[in-house]
Amino acid sequence: MQLTLALLGIILTATLTDNVVFAKSVGICPMLGTTKKMRSAIEMGLAVIFINTVSAVACFAAYKLLMAFEVEYLRLIVFLLVNATIIQTLDVLLRKFSPTLYSSIGVYLSRLITANCVIF
């Protein structure tokens, strides 16, 4: 009985209290705009995963570089610039190489900058 209550508490906490989407409600704007069709929702989800992965690796490298030059106080500015650069690069690449994908999620890519900058 205690195990069942503990699991129920964990599930409720994970879905209601500690849910990333609810906690960071700013980040759901692009997702809400593209979830009318399953295909565009999957494409947007893959774009978010790609951008977050590349941003995390690039920000880690930038942080190590900042530490090498002993200018860690520039961390926030550099992280924002790295994040915005990655998203703008993806925007340009999608517009050039996949116009159909860009037409479905391209409008929301600029909003990813805001969402990712808030999350970082």
Side-chain angles (χ1 to χ4, degrees), residues 2-78:
Q2 283 184 330
L3 180 63
T4 306
L5 287 176
L7 287 175
L8 183 63
I10 290 172
I11 290 171
L12 286 175
T13 301
T15 56
L16 299 177
T17 309
D18 294 335
N19 190 327
V20 175
V21 174
F22 291 156
K24 307 284 187 187
S25 62
V26 176
I28 66 169
C29 179
M31 297 306 271
L32 289 177
T34 59
T35 53
K36 293 176 187 167
K37 296 179 186 171
M38 181 63 101
R39 180 177 168 91
S40 60
I42 290 171
E43 291 167 347
M44 189 60 175
L46 291 174
V48 169
I49 290 169
F50 174 77
I51 288 170
N52 284 339
T53 303
V54 173
S55 292
V57 171
C59 286
F60 177 76
Y63 181 68
K64 289 297 183 183
L65 190 63
L66 290 174
M67 286 177 51
F69 289 108
E70 298 178 357
V71 287
E72 292 92 6
Y73 57 88
L74 295 174
R75 184 179 65 217
L76 181 63
I77 295 169
V78 171

